Amino acid sequence: MTKIEPFSERIYVTRPVFPTIEEVTEKLRDIWAAKWITNNGPQHTMLERELEKFLKVPCLSLFNNGTIALMVACQSLRLSGDVITTPFTFAATPHVLSWNNITPIFCDVDDETMNIDANKIESMITPSTTAILAVHVFGTPCDVEKIQEVANRYGLKVIYDAAHAFGVEIDGQGIGNFGDCSMFSFHATKLYHTVEGGALVQKSKIVKDRIDLLKNFGIKNEEEVVMPGINGKLDEIRAAIGRIMLGYVEGERLKRINLHKIYNEEFAEVEGIRVMPTCAENIKLNYQYYVVRIDEKIFGRSRDYVYDELKNYNVYARKYFHPLCSEFTCYRQLNSANPNNLPVANVIGQQVLSLPMYGDLTEDDVRKICAIIKSFGR
Ligand code: T4K
């Protein structure tokens, strides 16, 4: 077998999409001319309307990041007590609950989608439960129908952490239309970004008004502060960048679809490497991440071996999401964090590896990454 040379430069798990300097400069000139740089300026207002259209959602409020947006979602829905969530997510998801004095209750995940297992939620509900906080992990939609059905039966609110799900649709409906509220992250590492940023999406103008108060210190006007709010505002420069980036999303998505296909092709015959789930035809995905699961018993090498060895070839994959949130020192004492309660999540946490995925990767890059990984198998 011919020796595979390492990449000459580091290949990261992702790379932000950059607009041209000229496009940004043009927008900066508008902002300088308007002399309005934050606090609900024209770029902000225009971006909210443009995103509502793009995401096919009725009401959207911009935020300075997805985490603060999710914090405000809990406040706007007046959540308390316990909220059922997934351990297989980024740290922000349960942390937001803790910052609201809410106890996260970890529910196991589905082996195929890696999302919260909707069939196990009911058994976790107690009189203290006020909501379900589900995550469309890696952009694969949760079982929204089943989750809503359980929530309705017990009078629970449903919040979706849609940080990964920008542009995802079910039956032509924007993913943000499900549940009481959805959060999107516009962090630089996402398919669509505003450098840092995020949004809350929900159905009612009245709730939007409350959210907009909460993200601006609760200030109604110069004389009245009506609730204990926070500073969740997105500034004009980032809003302007967000407006430019809307023009890049579909092109980036198409490039990623092609790269997904190549990864899938390359791994099709490899035993012990499981690729991402395929979704039903009524679901439009965004192809933001490419994630595999490595079964050590079949592949002959562990996920950690592959992760470490890839670095020798200058490939920096990521173990999204390991450790599980239920393994964090701040949560592992919770009853629901016991691994016996989370058998599927614990296996996935040991197997999962996010491989490089961004539009500037070439087809050859992807084929070479696959060849390197395949060369590790025994
Ligand atoms: N809920 C979920 C399910 C989430 O995944 C997230 C965020 C949130 C909530 C919270 O939303 P935000 O408050 O962030 O809006 C990254 C992102 O920072 C984070 O937004 C994201 N999830 C998470 C999954 O990934 P890290 O700590 O892995 O990022 P970092 O800095 O290691 O970047 C990853 C790779 O990207 C680097 O290895 C290289 C590349 N990179 C990164 C940056 C920032 C670049 O090439 N250039 C860059 O400027 O968290």
Side-chain angles (χ1 to χ4, degrees):
M1 207 166 63
T2 49
K3 189 173 174 293
I4 307 173
E5 291 300 320
F7 284 94
S8 55
E9 282 177 21
R10 278 191 181 195
I11 303 282
Y12 289 107
V13 69
T14 197
R15 281 293 198 193
V17 182
F18 278 85
T20 65
I21 290 279
E22 290 74 25
E23 286 170 300
V24 177
T25 310
E26 197 186 317
K27 282 274 187 292
L28 287 179
R29 285 190 209 289
D30 293 344
I31 295 169
W32 263 235
K35 296 195 184 329
W36 198 274
I37 203 156
T38 185
N39 289 6
N40 221 6
Q43 299 293 332
H44 181 282
T45 308
M46 286 187 274
L47 182 59
E48 284 196 344
R49 296 298 82 76
E50 289 163 5
L51 280 168
E52 282 169 354
K53 208 166 148 214
F54 194 96
L55 294 172
K56 302 185 181 170
V57 292
C59 294
L60 179 145
S61 300
L62 283 169
F63 277 84
N64 47 8
N65 60 62
T67 306
I68 297 285
L70 209 48
M71 298 261 299
V72 167
C74 296
Q75 291 280 322
S76 74
L77 296 171
R78 299 183 173 87
L79 302 187
S80 61
D82 296 346
V83 168
I84 297 173
T85 191
T86 168
F88 188 66
T89 182
F90 190 59
T93 317
H95 286 353
V96 156
L97 297 174
S98 292
W99 276 58
N100 276 289
N101 278 327
I102 293 166
T103 306
I105 304 294
F106 295 112
C107 176
D108 206 5
V109 300
D110 176 78
D111 182 53
E112 183 66 11
T113 63
M114 299 184 266
N115 288 326
I116 193 165
D117 186 340
N119 293 313
K120 290 189 182 152
I121 293 175
E122 190 165 3
S123 65
M124 316 282 306
I125 296 172
T126 71
S128 309
T129 312
T130 57
I132 300 161
L133 169 52
V135 181
H136 303 297
V137 83
F138 307 131
T140 305
C142 293
D143 186 345
V144 291
E145 259 178 47
K146 174 83 192 176
I147 290 174
Q148 197 58 55
E149 187 255 307
V150 176
N152 290 349
R153 218 152 5 99
Y154 289 87
L156 305 177
K157 300 282 187 205
V158 178
I159 307 185
Y160 284 108
D161 176 335
H164 302 173
F166 188 88
V168 171
E169 294 179 8
I170 304 179
D171 284 325
Q173 275 199 77
I175 192 83
N177 288 291
F178 299 93
D180 294 281
C181 201
S182 293
M183 175 279 275
F184 291 93
S185 165
F186 303 151
H187 183 263
T189 54
K190 300 290 189 282
L191 180 78
Y192 167 80
H193 74 86
T194 58
V195 183
E196 289 268 1
L200 279 188
V201 159
Q202 36 69 45
K203 298 180 193 79
S204 129
K205 176 76 177 73
I206 296 166
V207 182
K208 174 166 166 56
D209 290 344
R210 184 173 159 75
I211 287 171
D212 289 347
L213 278 171
L214 281 165
K215 79 171 196 195
N216 187 29
F217 315 100
I219 297 175
K220 189 171 175 194
N221 55 48
E222 285 181 35
E223 300 297 327
E224 290 171 282
V225 177
V226 292
M227 57 186 78
I230 199 166
N231 182 353
K233 293 170 281 129
L234 186 75
D235 62 74
E236 287 291 276
I237 297 176
R238 281 183 256 183
I241 290 178
R243 296 188 63 216
I244 301 168
M245 296 313 296
L246 271 177
Y248 283 79
V249 186
E250 191 52 18
E252 178 66 17
R253 181 175 162 275
L254 293 174
K255 287 184 194 164
R256 293 188 193 204
I257 291 181
N258 187 41
L259 300 176
H260 265 248
K261 276 194 194 134
I262 294 169
Y263 270 124
N264 283 347
E265 232 174 78
E266 290 286 338
F267 288 136
E269 307 288 311
V270 183
E271 290 191 12
I273 295 191
R274 181 164 164 187
V275 301
M276 290 183 77
T278 44
C279 282
E281 293 221 330
N282 64 334
I283 292 171
K284 179 183 170 193
L285 296 173
N286 65 13
Y287 300 89
Q288 179 166 296
Y289 294 93
Y290 189 84
V291 178
V292 290
R293 280 149 73 180
I294 298 169
D295 185 332
E296 182 179 2
K297 285 198 200 89
I298 304 173
F299 185 62
R301 298 288 193 187
S302 68
R303 181 273 316 273
D304 288 345
Y305 177 92
V306 175
Y307 167 83
D308 287 335
E309 285 297 309
L310 276 172
K311 288 186 185 167
N312 294 329
Y313 291 86
N314 247 344
V315 178
Y316 286 74
R318 291 295 289 267
K319 302 179 199 175
Y320 295 137
F321 289 102
H322 167 89
L324 298 175
C325 296
S326 49
E327 295 174 298
F328 297 175
T329 49
C330 47
Y331 300 124
R332 66 181 177 210
Q333 77 292 350
L334 295 170
N335 285 339
S336 67
N338 187 320
N340 294 332
N341 178 49
L342 307 166
V344 180
N346 275 280
V347 171
I348 292 176
Q350 295 301 320
Q351 295 186 336
V352 81
L353 191 63
S354 281
L355 297 178
M357 177 49 61
Y358 51 93
D360 283 348
L361 269 184
T362 66
E363 294 188 14
D364 286 348
D365 292 337
V366 171
R367 291 202 194 278
K368 180 165 163 173
I369 293 165
C370 295
I372 296 167
I373 294 173
K374 286 194 254 186
S375 76
F376 299 152
R378 286 201 293 207

